[in-house]
Amino acid sequence: KQISKISIKAQVPTFESIARGISKGEYKKIIIMCGAGISVASGIPDFRSPKTGLYANLEKYNLPYPEAIFDISYFAEKPEPFFTLARELYPGNFEPTPVHHFFKLLEKKNVLKRVYTQNIDTLERCAGVSENKIVEAHGSFATASCQNCGEEYKAIDIKSTIMSGKIPYCKYCEKGIVKPDITFFGEQLAQKFWWHESDFPKADLLIVMGTSLQVEPFCDLIKNVPQNCHRLLINNVEVAVNRSSGYRKKTDMGFKFNEKSNYRDAKKIGDCQKSIKELVELIGWNKEFKKLMKKK
Ligand code: CNA
């Protein structure tokens, strides 16, 4: 009896205890940080998975180095590889996955503070998550702008040009390339990214999903939640933010999800789609979840 009185937050969390906590309404400000792994099931490859990831399959783009495809100075000289990739990834070709629908379910339950996604595929929007609940930290294909005059476009305005294998040029200045508003290496992050400064200190649960936590400064956000905020990693391999600079000590807020001394982190290693279905089942939201997925 004594033990059951202790708040769930005073215990080292597990996947199951977090499910229980969600079910009991103990987490009210859940932040999601996600990456390419959550969209793999929709048919979009991630970057870093060996064999299937984009970086392992870039021969056809003839790049000097893998990241060049998203490098702004390389793009200025040679935009073709990016647009070849854009043709493959363009919104409208893919369906959201159960993980994306889970985000919507959290929103419906009024416990979603925000989804911070590194993905550019707009699948969170496609699942119906409200725009003000999504931070597309690396931008997205949803809008585009002229690299010369700054004129703004919608995805649909340049879609047919991209799909026909051509480079979209600005119809106003007739000089600049219209580039989807995806943040390239060497560019400023989307303005909304800075919402993290007020969001993260308020979180009571952080779920990190389908990301290798390799891209800065996004990966650093995992340490910005309060010290008593539980963090759950759902990924098919263990990941950690490897840099030590800026952290007060090795286990400072458990930035290594696999550290034993991490008192407030839980992990579920395996396919994220399977794990989310299991989580939903444990929470007891199965019926609504299925209904939500059918609706799409
Ligand atoms: P990443 O570095 O490729 O990492 C993906 C992570 O997800 C890896 O740890 C994988 O092991 C893991 N993973 C893959 N499939 C699954 C699965 N089914 N279940 C659980 N885990 C899985 O990608 P990040 O997102 O970490 O890197 C950031 C880049 C990737 C961002 O700048 C994105 O713009 C970029 N990206 C986005 C997309 C997209 O929008 N869908 C696709 C490819 C790359």
Side-chain angles (χ1 to χ4, degrees):
K1 271 203 169 162
Q2 205 51 26
I3 286 171
S4 67
K5 272 189 190 162
I6 299 172
S7 154
I8 197 160
K9 290 191 186 161
Q11 301 163 18
V12 177
T14 60
F15 182 70
E16 290 73 18
S17 77
I18 287 174
R20 226 165 28 241
I22 296 175
S23 171
K24 285 184 184 163
E26 294 192 20
Y27 301 107
K28 294 189 173 63
K29 293 194 171 76
I30 303 176
I31 291 187
I32 308 277
M33 282 174 67
C34 59
I38 68 163
S39 296
V40 169
S42 76
I44 308 173
D46 67 2
F47 271 177
R48 294 177 181 82
S49 279
K51 294 196 186 129
T52 55
L54 207 60
Y55 282 168
N57 292 286
L58 284 172
E59 300 85 24
K60 62 180 167 186
Y61 303 103
N62 219 353
L63 298 164
Y65 54 98
E67 288 86 355
I69 200 148
F70 289 126
D71 187 304
I72 196 65
S73 27
Y74 183 77
F75 176 84
E77 274 175 36
K78 236 179 155 238
E80 293 83 6
F82 167 74
F83 282 109
T84 308
L85 175 69
R87 217 161 51 226
E88 289 173 32
L89 293 186
Y90 221 71
N93 298 340
F94 303 94
E95 292 291 322
T97 70
V99 165
H100 297 92
H101 292 296
F102 174 68
F103 299 164
K104 179 64 194 172
L105 189 53
L106 290 176
E107 181 184 354
K108 281 185 83 154
K109 296 283 184 184
N110 231 355
V111 293
L112 180 67
K113 178 80 187 151
R114 212 85 65 188
V115 177
Y116 280 77
T117 183
Q118 296 168 97
N119 295 344
I120 51 182
D121 55 31
T122 68
L123 289 183
E124 294 84 5
R125 298 171 189 228
C126 298
V129 181
S130 308
E131 218 175 308
N132 68 353
K133 288 285 174 189
I134 311 170
V135 172
E136 289 160 334
H138 298 161
S140 84
F141 277 107
T143 56
S145 36
C146 171
Q147 294 296 95
N148 179 52
C149 70
E151 187 66 34
E152 289 173 11
Y153 291 81
K154 291 238 154 55
I156 192 76
D157 302 333
I158 52 168
K159 184 173 181 176
S160 60
T161 310
I162 292 178
M163 288 306 165
S164 64
K166 294 188 202 124
I167 309 274
Y169 280 92
C170 182
K171 61 182 176 194
Y172 300 100
C173 72
E174 295 179 348
K175 271 206 301 215
I177 294 176
V178 181
K179 173 185 152 295
D181 292 333
I182 288 162
T183 314
F184 278 34
F185 295 112
E187 282 191 302
Q188 293 275 348
L189 286 183
Q191 198 57 34
K192 257 176 144 185
F193 176 74
W194 300 102
W195 286 10
H196 77 79
E197 287 180 346
S198 83
D199 280 357
F200 276 64
K202 296 188 189 112
D204 50 19
L205 174 64
L206 176 68
I207 305 181
V208 178
M209 220 185 307
T211 172
S212 59
L213 289 179
Q214 298 288 303
V215 179
E216 295 163 15
F218 187 90
C219 63
D220 292 332
L221 295 183
I222 68 162
K223 72 176 189 340
N224 291 358
V225 289
Q227 308 224 341
N228 63 350
C229 173
H230 287 164
R231 305 187 307 181
L232 170 63
L233 171 73
I234 301 179
N235 208 53
N236 62 4
V237 292
E238 296 213 7
V239 293
V241 178
N242 288 316
R243 297 175 321 133
S244 53
S245 64
Y247 297 100
R248 275 166 293 160
K249 52 183 192 255
K250 205 169 156 215
T251 56
D252 185 15
M253 291 310 89
F255 64 94
K256 284 198 165 195
F257 279 97
N258 47 5
E259 282 283 338
K260 275 206 183 74
S261 50
N262 248 340
Y263 62 89
R264 50 82 170 263
D265 292 342
K267 64 186 170 193
K268 180 79 173 168
I269 303 302
D271 174 49
C272 59
Q273 306 298 340
K274 222 174 127 226
S275 303
I276 279 303
K277 286 182 196 152
E278 205 179 317
L279 188 68
V280 167
E281 176 101 42
L282 286 169
I283 300 170
W285 287 350
N286 228 347
K287 225 166 136 190
E288 279 163 276
F289 187 54
K290 286 201 171 130
K291 216 165 122 194
L292 200 63
M293 289 207 291
K294 251 194 205 146
K295 237 167 84 179
K296 284 303 304 179

